[in-house]
Amino acid sequence: MEKVIIFDTTLRDGEQSPGASMNTAEKLRLSIQLERLGVDAIEAGFPAASSGDFEAVRAIAAKVTGAEVVALARATREDIDRAWDAVRDAAKPRIHTFIATSDIHLEHKLRMSRDQVVEAAMQAVRHAKSYTSQVEFSAEDGSRSDRDFLCRVFEAAIEAGATTVNLPDTVGYAMPEEFGELVAYVRRNTRNMEQAIFSVHCHDDLGLATANTLAGLKAGARQVEVTINGIGERAGNTALEEVVMALYTRKEQMGLETAIDTTSIHPTSRLVSMVTGIVVQPNKAVVGANAFAHESGIHQDGVLKHRTTYEIMDPEMVGLSSNRLVIGKHSGRHAFKQRLTELGYALSEDELNRLFEKFKELADKRKEILDEDLEVLVAEEILRVPDTYQLEYLNVVSGTVAVPTATVKLRIRGQEAQGAGFGIGPIDATFNTIAKMTESRSRLLRFAVNSISGGMDAQGEVTVRLQENGLVALGKGADPDIITASAKAYVNGLNRLEYLKKNPSLAPEERSL
């Protein structure tokens, strides 16, 4: 069994999902969970993109010890210097530099000749190599590049010192058989390829990212660049959980293995969803809510007789507990801490005490507390840094004969403020009041409500998408009261907009692979 290196780019390419920007504390928490999951390399960010990205990468480099910490850089000395400054304190630093190689990009974006691209790639790798022994080179838009030119640029990069060369399907254009053939051709015709690890990085524009990645592995690639839940630019990236479980479930055919602790997959998926505000679609492979659900009578009958009739994976293998009921209001602190540990959360005593108080408050309102409820508590109470806006109080009057009215108390930059307003419904009144108090000019693009669990007393989970001056942010909130959940989501979205304003990123086309 040969090992496949799992290169996770949730914190870099995944963050390029519209509205998915994360602050430093959130990225740090996720990096710890990714290390616990067992990924080999964590692409922590693009330090040249913003000061926020730089600080996040530097914080992760100082904290993570088991996995490589990777910083992305364009093929320029300035980007590479910035990347090294961010990862220099890492136990295992890596610099990842890239330049486009397709004729489309050369003509319309770079305005460079092929010779100039080769020279730029060599210079970038040499400069990065002067800082660290681990240097990765990527040929952006590789799947639409001339295959012989790919061989030439990879050979030059390896000669300059690259230890990993990466072939991205940047725009998700390739077909599996075609991509596999391209990987095989480049590996076979690059003279010094045995001196480097071959990597693939696929996007999901045609829904083929996982298929293309597996085709690349069959053709000899031994590193895959993936994200949790498949989040990323446009339609997203290859999903880590899909590749890992495909290799595990079909190991006899693939003959490959990873170092991933599969039981940590589901907790990691939930954490990423909580932090980014991006809801996992119910029918998502491996981690979706319906991935192990059976409604058809024929399927139910088969599973009851023998699980393998309709399940190719054991739910517990990916971290799903067969016992959904966890704890209730009579549970003690020890049981509470144990369940959080099982879910993958390592909390300090202060964090645990704060969370336990909130848990007891929730348990007084609800008969059953599920894993998803605990994860919401962690997201709301632990994963957030001090926000610009904090919801202190909300009272709403509404009904068939009453004019919907909201009274709100917020803490704005540390100062208490109160306001009231009207709307066509209770949620509209709440949003109008908060927008007036915060002087927000944002526009509500999306409003979605989900039930975290079943039952009349289930927590409602609200997701909003806000837009202001070209910036888009997602907000998320949860509460047994759906109006309160909506207010929390709206305030969370406004806080994320403030974060984006303070941490402007480069244009997506300048930072995507």
Side-chain angles (χ1 to χ4, degrees):
M1 299 283 285
E2 290 188 67
K3 182 187 174 184
V4 174
I5 296 169
I6 301 297
F7 178 109
D8 185 275
T9 184
T10 303
L11 302 181
R12 199 280 300 171
D13 210 342
E15 194 193 19
Q16 290 177 209
S17 299
S21 291
M22 296 171 259
N23 57 45
T24 298
E26 291 167 340
K27 283 190 171 185
L28 190 58
R29 181 76 65 172
L30 273 176
S31 69
I32 294 170
Q33 180 61 24
L34 289 170
E35 187 174 30
R36 184 181 293 117
L37 177 64
V39 304
D40 300 287
I42 299 172
E43 190 166 47
F46 188 0
S50 69
S51 58
D53 245 22
F54 176 85
E55 292 301 331
V57 175
R58 187 162 64 174
I60 292 167
K63 186 73 173 179
V64 171
T65 58
E68 287 187 62
V69 177
V70 187
L72 184 69
R74 289 166 298 187
T76 67
R77 293 182 68 88
E78 295 78 14
D79 270 26
I80 292 167
D81 290 341
R82 190 71 167 162
W84 176 246
D85 285 342
V87 297
R88 65 190 315 155
D89 294 329
K92 301 175 182 178
R94 186 196 297 192
I95 294 176
H96 180 191
T97 186
F98 72 96
I99 192 169
T101 54
S102 69
D103 290 336
I104 295 173
H105 279 243
L106 266 62
E107 178 182 354
H108 299 291
K109 188 181 80 170
L110 297 180
R111 303 188 190 282
M112 295 170 65
S113 68
R114 289 186 177 184
D115 288 343
Q116 289 174 317
V117 166
V118 172
E119 181 62 26
M122 292 184 69
Q123 293 294 336
V125 171
R126 285 197 188 109
H127 190 50
K129 193 73 171 183
S130 69
Y131 289 130
T132 177
S133 61
Q134 294 301 310
V135 176
E136 176 172 344
F137 170 77
S138 284
E140 185 185 4
D141 204 25
S143 62
R144 294 193 297 174
S145 300
D146 176 79
R147 55 176 55 189
D148 290 323
F149 180 57
L150 275 177
C151 296
R152 179 186 170 194
V153 74
F154 279 155
E155 183 176 322
I158 295 170
E159 184 177 327
T163 50
T164 301
V165 289
N166 178 49
L167 176 55
D169 183 23
T170 302
V171 293
Y173 181 73
M175 294 290 176
E177 184 177 357
E178 171 189 38
F179 192 67
E181 289 177 352
L182 178 60
V183 170
Y185 182 91
V186 173
R187 289 188 67 244
R188 186 170 59 249
N189 291 282
T190 301
R191 179 183 55 81
N192 50 2
M193 184 58 72
E194 72 283 352
Q195 299 174 27
I197 295 167
F198 198 97
S199 173
V200 290
H201 175 122
C202 299
H203 281 259
D204 207 34
D205 297 71
L206 294 176
L208 296 170
T210 297
N212 283 332
T213 297
L214 293 174
L217 288 174
K218 289 284 284 185
R222 287 299 177 264
Q223 175 179 285
V224 293
E225 305 199 356
V226 293
T227 63
I228 302 297
N229 299 335
I231 66 172
E233 191 78 39
R234 302 182 314 280
N237 290 55
T238 305
L240 176 148
E241 61 274 6
E242 294 176 10
V243 173
V244 168
M245 293 313 296
L247 295 181
Y248 179 85
T249 304
R250 303 305 305 273
K251 54 190 171 187
E252 294 83 2
Q253 182 185 36
M254 297 296 293
L256 300 170
E257 62 181 357
T258 72
I260 295 297
D261 173 13
T262 61
T263 61
S264 293
I265 285 177
H266 188 262
T268 307
S269 168
R270 286 292 303 172
L271 182 60
V272 168
S273 180
M274 292 290 178
V275 168
T276 62
I278 299 177
V279 178
V280 178
Q281 66 189 65
N283 62 324
K284 169 73 176 65
V286 183
V287 294
N290 296 344
F292 296 95
H294 305 277
E295 184 171 337
S296 164
I298 295 174
H299 286 218
Q300 290 174 342
D301 179 65
V303 169
L304 288 172
K305 289 175 178 175
H306 200 283
R307 182 188 62 80
T308 58
T309 54
Y310 287 102
E311 285 185 0
I312 61 171
M313 293 175 282
D314 185 341
E316 294 183 354
M317 177 59 66
V318 298
L320 279 169
S321 173
S322 57
N323 182 5
R324 302 288 287 172
L325 179 61
V326 183
I327 46 180
K329 72 178 195 177
H330 299 296
S331 298
R333 191 173 178 280
H334 182 267
F336 177 72
K337 179 180 180 180
Q338 178 63 30
R339 188 63 196 130
L340 286 173
T341 301
E342 291 172 358
L343 289 172
Y345 300 112
L347 305 179
S348 68
E349 285 301 309
D350 288 342
E351 290 174 332
L352 187 65
N353 291 336
R354 178 151 44 102
L355 209 59
F356 189 62
E357 290 182 14
K358 294 294 182 179
F359 157 70
K360 283 296 188 179
E361 291 176 12
L362 180 61
D364 284 335
K365 301 177 185 177
R366 305 220 23 227
K367 295 178 181 178
E368 301 176 356
I369 304 296
L370 305 183
D371 290 350
E372 290 84 354
D373 298 314
L374 296 179
E375 289 167 339
V376 168
L377 284 178
V378 173
E380 291 188 341
E381 300 299 326
I382 305 300
L383 298 181
R384 304 298 184 206
V385 296
D387 292 320
T388 304
Y389 311 115
Q390 292 175 298
L391 180 66
E392 297 279 313
Y393 169 86
L394 171 66
N395 183 62
V396 177
V397 176
S398 185
T400 57
V401 295
V403 176
T405 306
T407 305
V408 179
K409 180 190 286 186
L410 294 177
R411 187 170 293 276
I412 302 176
R413 297 179 177 86
Q415 301 296 316
E416 284 192 354
Q418 289 182 300
F422 308 100
I424 59 174
I427 293 175
D428 184 53
T430 300
F431 285 6
N432 287 342
T433 304
I434 294 173
K436 181 172 63 176
M437 294 174 67
T438 59
E439 300 180 344
S440 172
R441 299 178 181 275
S442 62
R443 186 163 63 97
L444 182 65
L445 299 181
R446 189 182 76 180
F447 175 84
V449 181
N450 296 290
S451 174
I452 293 177
S453 54
M456 295 293 290
D457 60 351
Q459 284 208 88
E461 186 177 58
V462 174
T463 303
V464 299
R465 176 172 285 182
L466 305 178
Q467 183 182 56
E468 183 177 353
N469 296 329
L471 300 174
V472 178
L474 288 172
K476 200 168 186 179
D479 196 88
D481 184 317
I482 199 63
I483 300 174
T484 302
S486 300
K488 288 180 177 180
Y490 191 65
V491 171
N492 180 235
L494 291 176
N495 280 317
R496 288 183 176 276
L497 276 177
E498 289 298 314
Y499 176 77
L500 286 175
K501 292 174 187 176
K502 296 174 184 176
N503 298 275
S505 300
L506 297 180
E509 63 268 16
E510 293 182 310
R511 48 185 307 207
S512 66
L513 290 177

